[in-house]
Amino acid sequence: MSEELCELGIVGLTSVGQQLAAFHASNKTRVCVGDEDPSFVPQVIKEYQAQTHADGEEEKPKSSKCMIPSNKMEELVVRLRQPRKIVVFGTHADDKKFEDTWNKLSPVLESGDTVIRWGKEENGNVQSSSSIVVGNLSKLQAEPRGLHLLEMVR
């Protein structure tokens, strides 16, 4: 692949996902971004590029070129440097949505790759069903292949 590989993958362009991608891109870390709705990705990139230009980025090496779009999960994975690091947002209240995302990502992941599901506390309690889903997927699918599947709860 002639294009430079990215250091981080962000799946799910929620407000927190967009902020994390923008933070890393503005610090010259190449980030590949994707969303369940691929038509949303160009809008997010366009808004980020407009903001970096408004902030006077023209004189610096362009951080606006550090946020790379992806239309498919498989495409996002192959655009990442190994071992890959992928953070999944927007699935904390929807285990089925996370499983669907995992099922698209996992076939193209390789040993040493890491996927983090960004979770959320509800009423002060960690959603136990989400932890069970991630735990089961990790034990049954990720660990035997040398993959790291984690859940981050805020």
Side-chain angles (χ1 to χ4, degrees), residues 76-145:
L76 183 138
V77 172
V78 298
R79 288 186 170 190
L80 297 175
R81 183 178 324 249
Q82 295 176 312
R84 300 171 182 101
K85 299 167 282 299
I86 302 169
V87 184
V88 179
F89 291 94
T91 66
H92 68 272
D94 190 343
D95 291 339
K96 174 78 170 102
K97 185 175 177 181
F98 178 74
E99 286 183 271
D100 291 346
T101 301
W102 171 257
N103 288 333
K104 291 175 187 173
L105 290 171
S106 66
V108 287
L109 295 173
E110 297 178 11
S111 181
D113 293 347
T114 300
V115 175
I116 298 175
R117 180 186 191 187
W118 188 269
K120 178 179 170 181
E121 288 186 14
E122 296 291 334
N123 302 322
N125 297 312
V126 176
Q127 291 180 317
S128 58
S129 64
S130 295
S131 298
I132 291 170
V133 167
V134 170
N136 285 342
L137 287 173
S138 182
K139 191 179 295 182
L140 297 173
Q141 295 181 20
E143 291 175 10
R145 294 181 47 212

Side-chain angles (χ1 to χ4, degrees), residues 2-142:
S2 61
E3 184 177 307
E4 187 178 341
L5 295 175
C6 297
E7 297 296 325
L8 179 64
I10 304 287
V11 175
L13 296 173
T14 62
S15 60
V16 177
Q18 289 178 49
Q19 289 173 9
L20 184 66
F23 172 80
H24 284 285
S26 66
N27 286 294
K28 311 300 187 282
T29 299
R30 290 178 57 84
V31 181
C32 189
V33 296
D35 194 80
E36 174 184 294
D37 177 5
S39 67
F40 185 55
V41 176
Q43 175 187 338
V44 169
I45 298 224
K46 185 177 181 180
E47 289 173 9
Y48 173 71
Q49 289 173 337
Q51 182 61 46
T52 58
H53 292 299
D55 290 343
E57 286 282 327
E58 291 82 15
E59 283 77 47
K60 304 175 194 172
K62 293 204 183 235
S63 64
S64 63
K65 294 186 179 187
C66 289
M67 193 180 293
I68 310 302
S70 174
N71 293 321
K72 295 181 179 180
M73 297 296 164
E74 300 83 2
E75 178 186 343
L76 183 138
V77 172
V78 298
R79 288 186 170 190
L80 297 175
R81 183 178 324 249
Q82 295 176 312
R84 300 171 182 101
K85 299 167 282 299
I86 302 169
V87 184
V88 179
F89 291 94
T91 66
H92 68 272
D94 190 343
D95 291 339
K96 174 78 170 102
K97 185 175 177 181
F98 178 74
E99 286 183 271
D100 291 346
T101 301
W102 171 257
N103 288 333
K104 291 175 187 173
L105 290 171
S106 66
V108 287
L109 295 173
E110 297 178 11
S111 181
D113 293 347
T114 300
V115 175
I116 298 175
R117 180 186 191 187
W118 188 269
K120 178 179 170 181
E121 288 186 14
E122 296 291 334
N123 302 322
N125 297 312
V126 176
Q127 291 180 317
S128 58
S129 64
S130 295
S131 298
I132 291 170
V133 167
V134 170
N136 285 342
L137 287 173
S138 182
K139 191 179 295 182
L140 297 173
Q141 295 181 20

